[in-house]
Amino acid sequence: MSRWLIAVASIVIIGCSSGNKDEMHGSGYIIVNEQIWSKNYTTPYPFTVPEGEIACASNPAFGREVYFNPKGYTDESYIGTPLNKSAVDGLKLGHLSSNVPYNIKKGADLSEAVQIGLKVCYEQEDSLANN
């Protein structure tokens, strides 16, 4: 699990919740690259870097936030590129912005990337619920 994502989500949660940490579930990530993408997904690979990770965190104020971090920019000191509106809203609330190199192809269809990230959230939430 990427610690940067937990840090970002925690900052966002502090600014918008009553402090109930049980409502925020830091989630995992999935590695994506051009070769895997072309075999498993129908849309063209949407990122300008050959490899990275799609991560997700659940935020009670905005819902599930999905981010992309290029390979080499995945530790807690980096804030990924937001891929959905919840992630954009969460960063705005925390007065944060992405600090990784721009990495979405112009005009890219992010629908599958967002769905992949949301699936990571659902899987993590299921795992937490079953423990």
Side-chain angles (χ1 to χ4, degrees), residues 50-108:
E51 185 174 1
E53 67 182 37
I54 296 174
C56 181
S58 292
N59 179 324
F62 301 114
R64 293 169 181 91
E65 300 176 358
V66 180
Y67 296 88
F68 176 78
N69 281 66
K71 183 178 181 179
Y73 295 90
T74 57
D75 68 41
E76 66 272 4
S77 64
Y78 296 104
I79 300 171
T81 301
L83 300 183
N84 66 351
K85 184 175 181 339
S86 294
V88 170
D89 291 344
L91 290 179
K92 283 181 184 177
L93 183 67
H95 303 289
L96 301 170
S97 61
S98 176
N99 63 355
V100 297
Y102 189 75
N103 45 48
I104 299 173
K105 292 178 182 175
K106 186 175 183 173

